[in-house]
Amino acid sequence: MKLICIGRNYAKHITELHSEKPEHPVVFMKPDSSVLLKNNPFIIPSFSEDVHYEVEILVKIKKVGKHIQPKFAHKYYDDIGLGIDFTARDVQNYLKDKGLPWEKAKGFDGAAVIGEQWFPKSKFQSVEDISFRLEKNKEIVQSGNTSEMLWKINELVAYVSQYFTLKIGDIIFTGTPSGVGPVKEGDVLEGFIQETSCFSIQVK
Ligand code: ZN
């Protein structure tokens, strides 16, 4: 199973990180070892002083595909979920400055939260209008809607399939809206799609 992640897919998040709007989707991967195991807390890694949460809509692939056309992309997924792309921001900024790959900042153990709650896409009128949010210690810190994506879900599925054969169970992290910020020991992060809780994570 692979985790394919999209960076810089919401305009306001690009501004908050002082990044440039990309010409094409920014794509990176997380290894399967980065998945935070069920019921486990998230442990801040010792190599970072500035780990950020990034709440993201997840898309689970249900059919093998490559070179998928956007108009057929909807046939390759059903389940929509929510997760966190934990990012060691200080490590990422160092790597970005040097033009190096981001894996150490994004692919460490526990850096991928995959909520247990999935919804069939038929639950939504459109996958291009799904609201979601992240609460930290019961306060809303991020809220977004898939309508704000620069590249919509079907475009992302098609785009990444030009490079990587999509396999059953692969998950696409579709990028984070604005409001990212640091976590500290004792924080509780709870993510919602519409009004349904998808995960609750303790930070240690
Ligand atoms: Zn992200």
Side-chain angles (χ1 to χ4, degrees), residues 89-106:
R89 193 70 70 201
D90 45 358
V91 176
Q92 187 197 26
N93 286 339
Y94 173 85
L95 295 170
K96 264 188 191 171
D97 282 351
K98 305 258 180 213
L100 294 169
W102 294 357
E103 274 77 1
K104 288 190 283 186
K106 295 272 199 181

Side-chain angles (χ1 to χ4, degrees), residues 5 29 33 49 58 85 100-101 109 127 151 175 188 195-197:
C5 307
M29 309 262 250
S33 50
E49 301 295 320
L58 309 183
D85 164 21
L100 294 169
D109 288 0
V127 295
W151 287 278
V188 176
E195 291 312 312
T196 307
S197 176

Side-chain angles (χ1 to χ4, degrees), residues 6-9 14 19-27 150-151 155-156 159 162-163:
I6 306 300
R8 302 183 199 170
N9 201 24
I14 295 171
S19 298
E20 276 175 38
K21 191 170 164 182
E23 266 177 70
H24 304 284
V26 173
V27 180
L150 301 182
W151 287 278
E155 294 173 294
L156 293 175
Y159 184 79
Q162 295 180 58
Y163 297 88

Side-chain angles (χ1 to χ4, degrees), residues 12-192:
K12 280 187 217 157
H13 172 61
I14 295 171
T15 316
E16 76 180 344
L17 290 191
H18 309 291
S19 298
E20 276 175 38
K21 191 170 164 182
E23 266 177 70
H24 304 284
V26 173
V27 180
F28 60 94
M29 309 262 250
K30 290 179 187 263
D32 56 5
S33 50
S34 68
V35 175
L36 184 66
L37 298 175
K38 200 176 166 181
N39 299 326
N40 278 26
F42 171 75
I43 296 169
I44 297 173
S46 57
F47 54 76
S48 178
E49 301 295 320
D50 194 26
V51 172
H52 281 199
Y53 51 77
E54 295 189 354
V55 73
E56 311 201 357
I57 288 285
L58 309 183
V59 175
K60 194 191 276 178
I61 298 300
K62 68 164 184 180
K63 188 168 130 173
V64 175
K66 63 194 293 186
H67 301 299
I68 299 165
Q69 292 179 44
K71 66 179 175 190
F72 296 129
H74 65 98
K75 295 176 187 282
Y76 291 83
Y77 65 93
D78 243 338
D79 288 345
I80 302 288
L82 194 71
I84 297 178
D85 164 21
F86 275 118
T87 303
R89 193 70 70 201
D90 45 358
V91 176
Q92 187 197 26
N93 286 339
Y94 173 85
L95 295 170
K96 264 188 191 171
D97 282 351
K98 305 258 180 213
L100 294 169
W102 294 357
E103 274 77 1
K104 288 190 283 186
K106 295 272 199 181
F108 56 86
D109 288 0
V113 172
I114 298 170
E116 286 166 47
Q117 183 72 50
W118 292 87
F119 298 101
K121 65 178 185 290
S122 58
K123 173 186 159 63
F124 308 103
Q125 287 212 325
S126 164
V127 295
E128 295 179 7
D129 183 16
I130 301 173
S131 64
F132 59 100
R133 69 178 193 272
L134 183 72
E135 294 184 2
K136 185 171 91 169
N137 308 325
K138 302 277 180 199
E139 272 185 39
I140 297 174
V141 286
Q142 287 189 277
S143 63
N145 188 292
T146 54
S147 63
E148 301 157 357
M149 289 179 170
L150 301 182
W151 287 278
K152 308 294 191 222
I153 290 174
N154 290 338
E155 294 173 294
L156 293 175
V157 169
Y159 184 79
V160 297
S161 80
Q162 295 180 58
Y163 297 88
F164 315 110
T165 296
L166 298 180
K167 293 187 174 179
I168 296 167
D170 288 349
I171 293 175
I172 302 176
F173 281 63
T174 59
T176 194
S178 60
V180 301
V183 292
K184 60 175 188 334
E185 210 180 314
D187 284 343
V188 176
L189 298 170
E190 186 170 13
F192 296 81

